[in-house]
Amino acid sequence: MLRKLLDRPIAVTMIAVVLVILGIVSSRLLPVSLVPNVDAPYITIQIPAQGVSARQLDETVITPLRQQLIQLSQLVDLRSEAREGSGIIRLTFEQGSDLDYLFIEVNERIDRSISSLPRELDRPKAIKACATDIPAFYINLTVRDERPAEDGDELHPVSDAFSALSRFASQVITKRIEQLPEVAMVDISGCVSPELLVIPDEAKLRQAGIAMGDVESALKKADVALGSLTIRDGEYQYSVKFRSAVSGRSDIENIFLKINGRLFRLKELAQVVEHPRKRQGLVLSDGRSAVSLAVVKQADARMSKLKEELDKQLQQFRNDYPEVEFTVTRDQTELLDYSISNLVNNIVTGALLACFIIFFFMRDVKSPLLVILTIPVTLIISVLVFYLLHISINIISLSGLVLGIGMMVDNSIIVIDNITARWMRGERLTAAVDRGTKEVVTPMLSSVLTTCAVFVPLIFINGMAGALFYDQAMAVAITLFVAYGVAITLLPVYYRWWYARQGAFRPAPWLERFSFDRIVGRYDAVLKWFFRRRWLMWGIYAVSVLGLACLFWDIDKQRLPAMTYSDMLVRIDWNDRISAGENGRRTQALVASLGDRVSQSTIMAGVQQFILSHTEENGVAEATVYLKCRDAADVEPVQEAVRSYLALYAPAARCSFGVSGNVFDMIFAEREAVLTARLRATTGGPADPEQLQQLVGRIRAALPDLPVPPVSLQDDILYVARPEQMALYGVAYGDLITTLRNALNENTLFTITSGDESLPVVIGSNLRNLDELLGNTFIRAADAEIPVGILMRQTVTRDLKSVVAGAEGNYYPLDLAPRAKDIPGIMSVVRECVAQDDHFEVSFSGSYFSNRGMVGQLVGVLVVALLLLFFILAAQFESLVQPWIILSEIVIDLFGALAVLWIFGQTLNLMSMIGLIVVCGIVINDSILKIDTINTLRRQGVALKHAIMEAGRRRLKAIVMTSLTTILAVAPFLARGDMGSDLQFPMSLVIISGMIVGTLVSIFFIPLAYYEIYKPRR
């Protein structure tokens, strides 16, 4: 078939052009995203319960839900956390589970539990996680030249302009943005919602002899809702509509009340105030009240297109609404563009460096140009296959192209070098092209298969890593097979066509002095020296086996390598009973103290209103702060400044730092501490705070060198009713609760609905503090007004700030951050401390175990990959011995790669492990060619030692060239500075060090091992 293609260069060209055109068209249709679109196997259940304590919420709501959800199929882990006012249950399922079906089943389980939950509780909300749910960016809306509300005005905590902005953002801006085809939804937080507060005039009520209950019942009667009525008039039928008298503030004020035979208007007895509802959280952008919009893109949308369309929309908004300022933060498109542009630049740089090497080794201008031609053709056709297999352009698939580009150049080098060698040995050009290509078709195919074989097991890694790196495995396999096809079809045709007018191969005159013959001569001398000292090579092999085991045990293991960021999220727990407003003021003072190092800040203080779970849940006294630093070098100084400020002004507060919530962080971030001691009460319920404090104190004393966080407690005000006083004055519990709700503005009578906006009507008072609640609040009973302070007493109780539970029941998570080497000893110390306490038992979890589990999975993948390599090599060589010769070099290669990681202070993580697996597939390609050539010479009757030496001479240049091109293709990724490069750095470091060691092993160790196996026996 190849001979026919050589005679039809135009037909081959036309087919290639068609494929290239289709590839270019496909590249414009492929979705571009940061990572592949995969469903995260998580479902989160949010439980709003304003005013409910953590322990009460866990006992009455979360425990019944947990008992229902624990029966779900394919459930891997369940973790619940109850806080004051809210709770959350996180469900983790097996990767590959049908989340759509499980989402339905979770909601069915919630519905079954509704009957056993408190009636006043809103239905728990289930949220299915997806990689594309991470917002592409956030947009903060603020009012220009806003006059802030007066301090201390509890009824009007924000300005009228911001109240109008909240309504405008939710009803206009979000809907306009959601109309863009690239936008899936807009999540919103920071809005204030209005309510009508009716504040009765206590003095006038006393004069008129009117009780508060009379006002309440009269107001409730004004909420008239008439159903659908129809009337027939002969042959006609009409709908009867009734217009309610209550539709706004003025209607409420003009309600008529007939009490004790007298007629009043409500405004004569009470003040009606329209004001924002009580807020549990707020958003501040650069110190100003803001509404934050999280823009979530469609799964198949191109990020660049979304950015372009949204920029146009925002510019239109700025022109139409100049009084509103629109600020874009946490722009994932910048990260995507920067990372992908760097990857593309590195691909181009690596390709050019590879061609530069070929230029000097081949000593010819045409040969490098042929290789340069195959690179874009291979990449474009690969993109076409991406489109057909629905693989997007992302960091993972591009990293596969990075790995593939060095290896696809190898195919071209081997074909060109073999054709040129035959031509130089006197064969005619056509015969040299034909035979030279056919001679390497089989070993090249074997090399491609062995390289792909190490990537295929990556798909079977458990969890998100396996789902994500499916794209990388497919990208490498696609690139290699396309490159193989181009190398054995297009390249020989153009080689023959290009050199058709030359009678023989002639190096370029100015490149003739760059001869490889001297290197071949020195190689012969060194190889003979090693033949005389074969014991040295076996000694190196023994050291490598021992060193590999020691390094694998000693090197630190993490999930991901350290990455460079210029922004961060700061989570602050003030550990104090403060309101959302005070939370915002304290957090703003902290941000203001950071100075010019911070170019942009967004404060999310208290409970947020986002629907999706892309933002961490906050309590009222907690805040999440986004800080954009001017440079990545400012990140650590800013973190230190935050710690110093809190140590000085809020010693009880706690803070932690994280990345800015990108999709990679959502999938791979360490969401758990290095080591968590799960302290469980032997009674099965939540731990007693006093007993827990004593146990943690003993653990802290036993581990003086390790920071052990104190027990997280909070003080609550507890009101205890006095039954004898209530019986004496004839006051019922219901009357007392109603009076307290009125005093705290919590008694909602009814809701006025207009379109998609609701306006609650609340009756209450304008109390300022707890003293007024006890001293200035009265209950009317038996024609007398009884102060509330007489009917109940106030005390303080202390309890856990959050109640955590898992599948095994309630436990207290004691999070520790020791070094990996010290963890076994620390676990023993904690067990001893717990054994001395009859009230607790302990188990352990944390990233220490999950990271080792991940590394264990990758080691299993490596074993499977080696077995696949053995099967492929055994089938190729029809031998069970020669595959062992080839695979024996992997021990030395892995030892060299791990040693370089250890020297450079890198960890054994997901990316470096993938690099080790890649090395196993790449480095043996040189050995495959070497042994295939030795076998061919031996079949021709050449003696064993002479065959080994001759095969070394023939393949040395090709081996050195292919190794250098692979090394140079990934060398640009040794530069760091963005997420894409930081991710590729450990993998590139492993590949480069493994290739250097592997090349030396292939040209020196493999010949000696072959000789030891097949040397003549006496």
Side-chain angles (χ1 to χ4, degrees):
M1 180 179 176
L2 178 60
R3 190 56 180 261
K4 294 180 180 178
L5 292 179
L6 293 176
D7 296 330
R8 306 195 66 184
I10 295 178
V12 172
T13 302
M14 292 301 102
I15 294 173
V17 168
V18 169
L19 293 176
V20 167
I21 292 174
L22 291 175
I24 293 172
V25 173
S26 301
S27 67
R28 302 183 64 84
L29 300 176
L30 275 176
V32 179
S33 56
L34 198 62
V35 295
N37 178 27
V38 292
D39 284 332
Y42 314 123
I43 293 179
T44 303
I45 301 171
Q46 297 176 349
I47 307 164
Q50 188 172 343
V52 182
S53 68
R55 191 178 291 267
Q56 183 183 358
L57 181 61
D58 179 74
E59 292 174 352
T60 61
V61 180
I62 292 183
T63 298
L65 281 174
R66 198 170 60 239
Q67 291 171 351
Q68 285 284 342
L69 297 169
I70 198 68
Q71 305 170 27
L72 289 168
S73 61
Q74 299 177 316
L75 183 67
V76 175
D77 186 39
L78 181 150
R79 187 180 190 272
S80 67
E81 183 175 1
R83 298 184 177 189
E84 182 182 2
S86 66
I88 191 167
I89 302 176
R90 293 186 177 90
L91 305 172
T92 304
F93 297 92
E94 296 176 2
Q95 181 61 40
S97 302
D98 187 347
L99 280 186
D100 293 331
Y101 169 77
L102 290 170
F103 184 70
I104 296 172
E105 189 174 356
V106 166
N107 278 284
E108 288 178 352
R109 303 268 179 179
I110 294 173
D111 292 336
R112 290 181 197 173
S113 305
I114 290 295
S115 60
S116 61
L117 302 182
R119 291 183 178 180
E120 64 276 7
L121 184 76
D122 293 337
R123 184 187 184 280
K125 180 173 55 180
I127 299 171
K128 182 175 63 173
C130 178
T132 54
D133 287 344
I134 290 294
F137 29 72
Y138 290 74
I139 304 173
N140 292 340
L141 278 64
T142 53
V143 180
R144 293 184 188 272
D145 305 323
E146 177 189 8
R147 291 186 178 182
E150 295 181 7
D151 291 337
D153 188 351
E154 298 292 337
L155 293 180
H156 298 89
V158 297
S159 65
D160 293 338
F162 185 76
S163 296
L165 175 66
S166 296
R167 187 179 296 109
F168 173 71
S170 60
Q171 296 182 0
V172 178
I173 298 298
T174 56
K175 291 178 173 56
R176 291 271 297 275
I177 294 176
E178 285 177 342
Q179 289 174 0
L180 297 175
E182 294 80 16
V183 176
M185 71 169 292
V186 176
D187 213 354
I188 189 168
S189 184
C191 291
V192 293
S193 302
E195 72 177 8
L196 289 176
L197 177 62
V198 180
I199 306 175
D201 190 323
E202 299 279 351
K204 290 183 180 179
L205 292 180
R206 290 194 195 98
Q207 290 176 1
I210 301 172
M212 183 73 75
D214 298 332
V215 177
E216 281 186 46
S217 60
L219 277 171
K220 289 179 179 178
K221 291 176 182 177
D223 180 30
V224 179
L226 194 65
S228 176
L229 300 179
T230 58
I231 186 171
R232 293 189 63 180
D233 183 12
E235 61 186 11
Y236 298 101
Q237 179 173 304
Y238 300 95
S239 296
V240 178
K241 296 183 178 180
F242 180 83
R243 182 176 179 181
S244 174
V246 178
S247 60
R249 175 182 172 182
S250 61
D251 294 331
I252 294 287
E253 290 177 331
N254 291 318
I255 289 177
F256 288 95
L257 312 174
K258 187 176 181 180
I259 304 174
N260 298 334
R262 299 176 59 186
L263 194 64
F264 299 93
R265 284 181 185 239
L266 182 63
K267 62 184 178 182
E268 298 172 1
L269 301 175
Q271 178 188 6
V272 181
V273 179
E274 183 173 345
H275 75 124
R277 295 180 203 172
K278 190 180 296 183
R279 292 202 293 175
Q280 297 295 309
L282 52 91
V283 177
L284 299 175
S285 177
D286 295 330
R288 295 180 293 170
S289 296
V291 175
S292 184
L293 308 181
V295 181
V296 180
K297 83 175 189 73
Q298 292 282 5
D300 57 349
R302 294 176 70 94
M303 192 78 87
S304 57
K305 183 66 174 177
L306 171 63
K307 176 69 171 175
E308 178 185 344
E309 293 298 323
L310 195 64
D311 284 343
K312 292 179 183 177
Q313 188 74 72
L314 289 179
Q315 188 57 47
Q316 185 67 38
F317 287 156
R318 293 185 179 105
N319 295 335
D320 294 344
Y321 313 110
E323 68 278 5
V324 179
E325 186 172 341
F326 298 85
T327 306
V328 177
T329 67
R330 298 201 231 177
D331 190 349
Q332 295 291 314
T333 61
E334 291 181 358
L335 176 63
L336 173 69
D337 293 342
Y338 187 61
S339 298
I340 289 185
S341 63
N342 272 9
L343 285 170
V344 172
N345 291 337
N346 291 341
I347 288 174
V348 173
T349 303
L352 292 177
L353 289 173
C355 293
F356 183 76
I357 291 296
I358 300 169
F359 182 72
F360 281 99
F361 272 78
M362 301 301 296
R363 297 185 300 158
D364 182 30
V365 178
K366 294 180 180 180
S367 298
L369 292 178
L370 283 173
V371 175
I372 292 174
L373 172 67
T374 61
I375 292 174
V377 171
T378 301
L379 290 176
I380 293 173
I381 297 177
S382 298
V383 169
L384 173 60
V385 182
F386 277 25
Y387 177 75
L388 296 176
L389 297 180
H390 306 288
I391 298 174
S392 65
I393 297 295
N394 52 70
I395 288 180
I396 304 301
S397 59
L398 281 179
S399 69
L401 289 179
V402 170
L403 296 174
I405 193 168
M407 293 180 276
M408 71 183 181
V409 171
D410 293 351
N411 292 330
S412 302
I413 291 174
I414 292 169
V415 171
I416 290 176
D417 182 66
N418 207 49
I419 293 173
T420 305
R422 281 187 168 273
W423 193 17
M424 293 179 68
R425 288 200 294 267
E427 295 186 11
R428 290 185 304 132
L429 176 59
T430 302
V433 171
D434 186 27
R435 295 173 186 171
T437 304
K438 289 179 180 178
E439 188 177 27
V440 294
V441 164
T442 301
M444 276 173 46
L445 179 60
S446 179
S447 298
V448 171
L449 291 175
T450 52
T451 304
C452 293
V454 301
F455 282 96
V456 171
L458 286 176
I459 301 173
F460 300 102
I461 299 176
N462 291 339
M464 291 296 295
L468 277 177
F469 287 98
Y470 168 84
D471 276 26
Q472 186 181 55
M474 292 300 295
V476 172
I478 290 168
T479 306
L480 287 182
F481 276 106
V482 172
Y484 176 75
V486 170
I488 64 174
T489 56
L490 193 65
L491 192 61
V493 171
Y494 280 102
Y495 189 100
R496 178 176 178 269
W497 174 74
W498 206 322
Y499 288 98
R501 297 184 181 180
Q502 287 186 208
F505 180 83
R506 294 186 299 274
W510 54 283
L511 287 173
E512 286 192 61
R513 66 173 180 267
F514 297 103
S515 176
F516 200 75
D517 295 339
R518 296 178 182 177
I519 298 176
V520 173
R522 292 178 181 176
Y523 165 73
D524 282 346
V526 174
L527 185 58
K528 290 176 182 177
W529 187 85
F530 274 117
F531 261 113
R532 294 191 295 270
R533 297 167 179 82
R534 293 194 295 276
W535 58 268
L536 180 60
M537 293 302 296
W538 297 119
I540 294 174
Y541 191 81
V543 170
S544 299
V545 173
L546 182 62
L548 179 62
C550 294
L551 282 175
F552 185 80
W553 176 262
D554 183 69
I555 197 167
D556 288 337
K557 299 169 182 66
Q558 291 181 347
R559 187 178 299 271
L560 281 181
M563 288 184 281
T564 303
Y565 296 100
S566 60
D567 56 0
M568 60 181 151
L569 287 180
V570 186
R571 283 186 53 80
I572 302 171
D573 181 359
W574 292 104
N575 205 20
D576 198 359
R577 302 294 298 180
I578 59 175
S579 65
E582 177 61 21
N583 185 354
R585 285 188 287 272
R586 290 189 185 184
T587 310
Q588 178 56 35
L590 165 63
V591 173
S593 70
L594 300 177
D596 296 336
R597 283 198 175 103
V598 175
S599 60
Q600 191 180 76
S601 67
T602 300
I603 297 171
M604 295 183 180
V607 180
Q608 297 303 302
Q609 301 164 337
F610 291 122
I611 296 175
L612 300 180
S613 57
H614 46 68
T615 302
E616 288 287 341
E617 295 289 331
N618 287 340
V620 176
E622 296 174 334
T624 299
V625 186
Y626 169 75
L627 298 176
K628 174 72 173 177
C629 300
R630 298 192 179 277
D631 189 78
D634 291 330
V635 170
E636 286 193 14
V638 166
Q639 291 180 354
E640 187 58 38
V642 170
R643 294 190 188 96
S644 301
Y645 181 93
L646 293 177
L648 182 62
Y649 294 103
R654 302 173 189 170
C655 72
S656 61
F657 302 93
V659 297
S660 61
N662 58 67
V663 67
F664 228 85
D665 173 61
M666 184 193 88
I667 296 170
F668 288 111
E670 301 285 6
R671 298 186 179 274
E672 50 189 355
V674 176
L675 179 66
T676 299
R678 301 162 75 122
L679 304 174
R680 291 190 303 276
T682 52
T683 58
D688 179 82
E690 298 300 329
Q691 295 174 350
L692 185 61
Q693 276 190 305
Q694 295 174 8
L695 175 59
V696 172
R698 287 197 297 272
I699 294 174
R700 184 183 292 111
L703 299 171
D705 298 329
L706 181 68
V708 179
V711 178
S712 185
L713 301 174
Q714 70 179 14
D715 294 328
D716 290 318
I717 295 175
L718 179 66
Y719 289 105
V720 182
R722 294 175 173 174
E724 69 281 3
Q725 296 293 99
M726 294 178 65
L728 176 65
Y729 293 105
V731 177
Y733 281 101
D735 297 333
L736 181 59
I737 292 173
T738 301
T739 302
L740 290 175
R741 284 181 174 173
N742 290 343
L744 298 173
N745 298 346
E746 297 284 350
N747 192 5
T748 301
L749 301 179
F750 57 90
T751 300
I752 302 171
T753 303
S754 175
D756 57 355
E757 188 178 49
S758 61
L759 186 63
V761 178
V762 180
I763 188 168
S765 62
N766 194 18
L767 288 179
R768 298 284 181 172
N769 50 48
L770 293 175
D771 293 335
E772 291 187 9
L773 174 64
L774 295 176
N776 296 341
T777 304
F778 301 89
I779 295 179
R780 190 176 182 85
D783 298 327
E785 291 187 340
I786 312 301
V788 170
I790 295 177
L791 303 175
M792 61 184 187
R793 60 186 175 86
Q794 175 182 320
T795 183
V796 177
T797 182
R798 171 171 281 194
D799 203 350
L800 295 173
K801 180 175 288 187
S802 63
V803 179
V804 180
E808 74 274 28
N810 291 98
Y811 67 89
Y812 180 81
L814 184 63
D815 294 334
L816 306 172
R819 295 181 304 174
K821 301 175 184 178
D822 302 333
I823 286 179
I826 289 172
M827 290 169 60
S828 299
V829 171
V830 173
R831 285 195 183 98
E832 291 176 3
C833 293
V834 174
Q836 299 170 11
D837 194 321
D838 296 334
H839 301 98
F840 292 93
E841 56 187 10
V842 67
S843 61
F844 296 95
S845 63
S847 62
Y848 171 79
F849 301 99
S850 58
N851 289 346
R852 286 182 172 266
M854 182 198 68
V855 172
Q857 286 183 23
L858 289 170
V859 170
V861 167
L862 181 60
V863 172
V864 172
L866 292 176
L867 288 174
L868 288 175
L869 293 178
F870 177 81
F871 298 150
I872 293 171
L873 294 174
Q876 177 189 348
F877 292 113
E878 282 294 328
S879 170
L880 296 177
V881 176
Q882 292 184 3
W884 287 113
I885 298 174
I886 296 173
L887 295 179
S888 63
E889 73 162 291
I890 290 178
V891 173
I892 305 176
D893 301 335
L894 293 183
F895 169 68
L898 279 181
V900 171
L901 276 181
W902 183 77
I903 291 170
F904 280 84
Q906 296 296 308
T907 60
L908 194 61
N909 50 61
L910 185 65
M911 301 306 292
S912 55
M913 278 297 296
I914 289 176
L916 292 175
I917 294 171
V918 170
V919 164
C920 294
I922 296 176
V923 295
I924 64 172
N925 291 340
D926 296 337
S927 301
I928 291 172
L929 285 174
K930 176 72 72 64
I931 289 185
D932 184 74
T933 306
I934 294 173
N935 291 339
T936 301
L937 292 172
R938 291 188 66 199
R939 284 194 294 267
Q940 295 173 0
V942 181
L944 174 63
K945 198 168 185 179
H946 290 292
I948 292 174
M949 298 297 293
E950 179 62 23
R953 296 187 198 98
R954 288 190 183 183
R955 293 302 179 199
L956 181 62
K957 185 164 70 170
I959 288 174
V960 173
M961 274 197 296
T962 54
S963 298
L964 284 176
T965 51
T966 302
I967 291 170
L968 293 176
V970 297
F973 292 91
L974 293 178
R976 307 177 69 179
D978 68 284
M979 194 178 89
S981 298
D982 291 340
L983 277 173
Q984 308 300 332
F985 174 78
M987 185 172 66
S988 304
L989 187 64
V990 166
I991 291 174
I992 290 173
S993 55
M995 285 301 299
I996 292 173
V997 174
T999 302
L1000 295 174
V1001 170
S1002 294
I1003 61 179
F1004 293 116
F1005 177 79
I1006 292 299
L1008 297 180
Y1010 192 99
Y1011 182 79
E1012 287 292 329
I1013 296 295
Y1014 290 102
K1015 67 182 179 181
R1017 305 292 179 182
R1018 293 184 179 179

